[in-house]
Amino acid sequence: MLDGRLRLVQPRKGHRAGSDAVLLAAACGEVAAETVADFGAGVGAVGLMVAARHPACRVVLVENDPGLAALARRNVALNGFEDRMEVCEANILAPATVRRKAGLAAGSAGLVVTNPPFWPAGRVRTSPDAGRRAAHVMADEALEGWLRAAADMLAPDGRLVLIHRVDGLAWLLAALAGRFGDIAVRPVYSAPDRPAVRLLVAARRGSRAPMRLLPGLVLSGADGRFTPEADAVHRGTASVAMG
């Protein structure tokens, strides 16, 4: 990934990191010497890319599945990030006291990034593979708990950056309400003449600034190849501006 700068061990079967992870990592903007928490990290793709792109930060990969957490630790070592990355096995939807005992201290992160399981049960065919199913499916109602945990771990004025499905925007905005403001939404299009396929969303804890709808990001041109902007993002030489 990132034009060969990052190596990633993934399961032979099940969920595998792709463009969603690349776009999410690229949407973080400038990341200073702060703690970044990757919620639902899987094998660590997003957090590892953030670490590779921003050498001053410290990254905590939060993953509940022991097998994926083990792969995440392997990936941290594989890329030489042991000095500033750690893996925390924790259930993000657990009560706050349980999360604290797992190591998710309140107010300890300046940035939370997350690609939450965003397909509601019953809306898509669920995979027989347990890992793929857990990575893709979560009830819309659970998103509120997921974002509540993110707000809890963020320091005042801390940032949240996530990727979500387009038709989940209403649920997402409702879950952000009361905890986050300064919400920026950037649609992602697979091609210029196609409907948006994803939303990149950035928000700030406790802000009262109004929401902004940003210009869209187009991934591919009429020839089916990455646009220059999307190609640079996937190579790790450009960011996706959310300001």
Side-chain angles (χ1 to χ4, degrees):
M1 307 191 84
L2 301 185
D3 208 20
R5 288 163 52 200
L6 187 76
R7 293 179 292 169
L8 195 68
V9 177
Q10 304 194 76
R12 290 184 181 274
K13 296 181 179 180
H15 175 72
R16 298 174 67 82
S19 282
D20 282 6
V22 173
L23 294 172
L24 178 57
C28 291
E30 292 300 316
V31 181
E34 57 189 331
T35 295
V36 179
D38 178 2
F39 270 25
V43 301
V46 175
L48 284 158
M49 283 187 278
V50 172
R53 295 174 65 112
H54 305 282
C57 71
R58 173 180 173 270
V59 179
V60 180
L61 304 175
V62 184
E63 175 53 50
N64 193 42
D65 182 278
L68 294 178
L71 283 178
R73 292 188 183 93
R74 182 176 172 185
N75 285 325
V76 169
L78 182 65
N79 290 280
F81 289 146
E82 301 100 315
D83 61 332
R84 59 191 186 94
M85 291 189 74
E86 64 176 288
V87 178
C88 176
E89 288 188 41
N91 181 358
I92 293 164
L93 297 176
T97 53
V98 177
R99 297 197 308 272
R100 302 274 194 281
K101 290 179 181 178
L104 303 184
S108 60
L111 170 65
V112 170
V113 295
T114 185
N115 180 5
F118 52 55
W119 293 110
R123 285 280 305 279
V124 293
R125 178 189 292 181
T126 56
S127 171
D129 180 86
R132 183 183 289 270
R133 186 167 60 249
H136 290 174
V137 176
M138 180 174 71
D140 274 331
E141 295 82 354
L143 182 61
E144 196 274 339
W146 195 276
L147 298 184
R148 181 172 61 244
D152 180 67
M153 192 170 180
L154 281 170
D157 209 38
R159 295 184 298 131
L160 169 71
V161 180
L162 61 90
I163 191 165
H164 203 64
R165 71 182 202 275
V166 174
D167 71 331
L169 180 59
W171 277 104
L172 177 59
L173 293 177
L176 291 169
R179 297 186 179 91
F180 293 92
D182 194 19
I183 299 167
V185 179
R186 185 179 290 277
V188 179
Y189 301 89
S190 60
D193 58 346
R194 305 288 294 176
V197 291
R198 291 288 186 270
L199 298 173
L200 288 165
V201 180
R204 193 171 292 275
R205 183 190 168 197
S207 174
R208 295 180 178 272
M211 174 180 159
R212 293 163 291 136
L213 183 61
L214 304 177
L217 170 67
V218 180
L219 296 181
S220 301
D223 59 0
R225 298 176 181 271
F226 275 148
T227 62
E229 183 180 7
D231 183 67
V233 166
H234 280 78
R235 291 180 182 275
T237 59
S239 297
V240 179
M242 296 298 294

Short mmCIF file of all heavy atoms in Angstrom, two decimals, residues 91-106 148-149 152:
data_model
loop_
_atom_site.label_atom_id
_atom_site.label_comp_id
_atom_site.label_asym_id
_atom_site.label_seq_id
_atom_site.Cartn_x
_atom_site.Cartn_y
_atom_site.Cartn_z
N ASN A 91 -13.78 -3.85 23.05
CA ASN A 91 -15.09 -3.74 22.41
C ASN A 91 -15.53 -2.28 22.49
O ASN A 91 -15.83 -1.78 23.57
CB ASN A 91 -16.09 -4.66 23.12
CG ASN A 91 -17.47 -4.61 22.49
OD1 ASN A 91 -17.72 -3.85 21.54
ND2 ASN A 91 -18.39 -5.40 23.01
N ILE A 92 -15.59 -1.62 21.35
CA ILE A 92 -15.93 -0.20 21.31
C ILE A 92 -17.33 0.06 21.85
O ILE A 92 -17.60 1.11 22.43
CB ILE A 92 -15.78 0.31 19.87
CG1 ILE A 92 -14.30 0.28 19.47
CG2 ILE A 92 -16.34 1.73 19.72
CD1 ILE A 92 -14.06 0.39 17.99
N LEU A 93 -18.23 -0.91 21.70
CA LEU A 93 -19.61 -0.73 22.14
C LEU A 93 -19.84 -1.15 23.59
O LEU A 93 -20.98 -1.11 24.07
CB LEU A 93 -20.55 -1.52 21.21
CG LEU A 93 -20.56 -1.05 19.75
CD1 LEU A 93 -21.44 -1.96 18.91
CD2 LEU A 93 -21.00 0.40 19.64
N ALA A 94 -18.78 -1.53 24.28
CA ALA A 94 -18.92 -1.90 25.69
C ALA A 94 -19.13 -0.66 26.55
O ALA A 94 -18.84 0.46 26.14
CB ALA A 94 -17.66 -2.65 26.15
N PRO A 95 -19.65 -0.83 27.78
CA PRO A 95 -19.79 0.32 28.68
C PRO A 95 -18.46 1.01 28.92
O PRO A 95 -17.39 0.40 28.79
CB PRO A 95 -20.33 -0.32 29.97
CG PRO A 95 -20.99 -1.58 29.53
CD PRO A 95 -20.18 -2.07 28.37
N ALA A 96 -18.52 2.29 29.28
CA ALA A 96 -17.31 3.09 29.44
C ALA A 96 -16.35 2.47 30.45
O ALA A 96 -15.13 2.49 30.24
CB ALA A 96 -17.68 4.51 29.87
N THR A 97 -16.87 1.91 31.54
CA THR A 97 -15.97 1.32 32.55
C THR A 97 -15.19 0.15 31.98
O THR A 97 -14.02 -0.03 32.30
CB THR A 97 -16.78 0.85 33.77
OG1 THR A 97 -17.84 -0.03 33.33
CG2 THR A 97 -17.38 2.03 34.51
N VAL A 98 -15.83 -0.61 31.09
CA VAL A 98 -15.14 -1.74 30.46
C VAL A 98 -14.09 -1.25 29.49
O VAL A 98 -12.97 -1.77 29.42
CB VAL A 98 -16.16 -2.66 29.75
CG1 VAL A 98 -15.45 -3.80 29.02
CG2 VAL A 98 -17.17 -3.21 30.75
N ARG A 99 -14.42 -0.21 28.73
CA ARG A 99 -13.45 0.35 27.78
C ARG A 99 -12.25 0.92 28.53
O ARG A 99 -11.11 0.79 28.07
CB ARG A 99 -14.09 1.45 26.93
CG ARG A 99 -15.24 0.97 26.04
CD ARG A 99 -15.55 1.99 24.95
NE ARG A 99 -15.76 3.34 25.43
CZ ARG A 99 -16.92 3.83 25.82
NH1 ARG A 99 -18.01 3.06 25.80
NH2 ARG A 99 -17.03 5.09 26.24
N ARG A 100 -12.49 1.57 29.66
CA ARG A 100 -11.38 2.12 30.45
C ARG A 100 -10.41 1.01 30.88
O ARG A 100 -9.19 1.15 30.77
CB ARG A 100 -11.91 2.81 31.70
CG ARG A 100 -12.89 3.92 31.49
CD ARG A 100 -12.21 5.27 31.26
NE ARG A 100 -13.20 6.32 31.40
CZ ARG A 100 -14.09 6.64 30.45
NH1 ARG A 100 -14.07 6.01 29.30
NH2 ARG A 100 -14.97 7.61 30.65
N LYS A 101 -10.98 -0.09 31.37
CA LYS A 101 -10.13 -1.20 31.82
C LYS A 101 -9.33 -1.80 30.68
O LYS A 101 -8.24 -2.32 30.87
CB LYS A 101 -10.99 -2.28 32.48
CG LYS A 101 -11.58 -1.85 33.83
CD LYS A 101 -12.45 -2.95 34.43
CE LYS A 101 -13.05 -2.52 35.76
NZ LYS A 101 -13.93 -3.57 36.34
N ALA A 102 -9.89 -1.72 29.46
CA ALA A 102 -9.17 -2.24 28.29
C ALA A 102 -8.07 -1.30 27.83
O ALA A 102 -7.23 -1.69 26.99
CB ALA A 102 -10.16 -2.48 27.14
N GLY A 103 -8.06 -0.06 28.32
CA GLY A 103 -7.00 0.87 27.97
C GLY A 103 -7.43 2.08 27.18
O GLY A 103 -6.58 2.89 26.78
N LEU A 104 -8.74 2.25 26.96
CA LEU A 104 -9.23 3.40 26.19
C LEU A 104 -9.57 4.53 27.15
O LEU A 104 -10.71 4.73 27.54
CB LEU A 104 -10.45 3.01 25.35
CG LEU A 104 -10.25 1.86 24.37
CD1 LEU A 104 -11.50 1.64 23.53
CD2 LEU A 104 -9.04 2.11 23.47
N ALA A 105 -8.56 5.29 27.52
CA ALA A 105 -8.73 6.35 28.52
C ALA A 105 -9.48 7.53 27.94
O ALA A 105 -9.29 7.91 26.78
CB ALA A 105 -7.36 6.80 29.03
N ALA A 106 -10.34 8.13 28.76
CA ALA A 106 -11.11 9.30 28.33
C ALA A 106 -10.19 10.46 28.02
O ALA A 106 -9.22 10.72 28.74
CB ALA A 106 -12.10 9.69 29.43
N ARG A 148 -20.31 7.71 20.35
CA ARG A 148 -20.24 8.13 21.76
C ARG A 148 -18.89 7.71 22.35
O ARG A 148 -18.26 8.48 23.08
CB ARG A 148 -21.38 7.52 22.56
CG ARG A 148 -21.39 7.93 24.04
CD ARG A 148 -22.64 7.46 24.75
NE ARG A 148 -22.77 6.00 24.74
CZ ARG A 148 -23.75 5.34 24.14
NH1 ARG A 148 -24.69 6.00 23.49
NH2 ARG A 148 -23.80 4.02 24.19
N ALA A 149 -18.44 6.50 22.01
CA ALA A 149 -17.14 6.04 22.49
C ALA A 149 -16.01 6.88 21.90
O ALA A 149 -15.01 7.17 22.58
CB ALA A 149 -16.95 4.56 22.14
N ASP A 152 -15.87 10.11 23.75
CA ASP A 152 -15.33 9.88 25.08
C ASP A 152 -13.80 9.83 25.06
O ASP A 152 -13.14 10.36 25.95
CB ASP A 152 -15.89 8.58 25.66
CG ASP A 152 -15.35 8.29 27.04
OD1 ASP A 152 -15.67 9.04 27.98
OD2 ASP A 152 -14.61 7.30 27.20
#
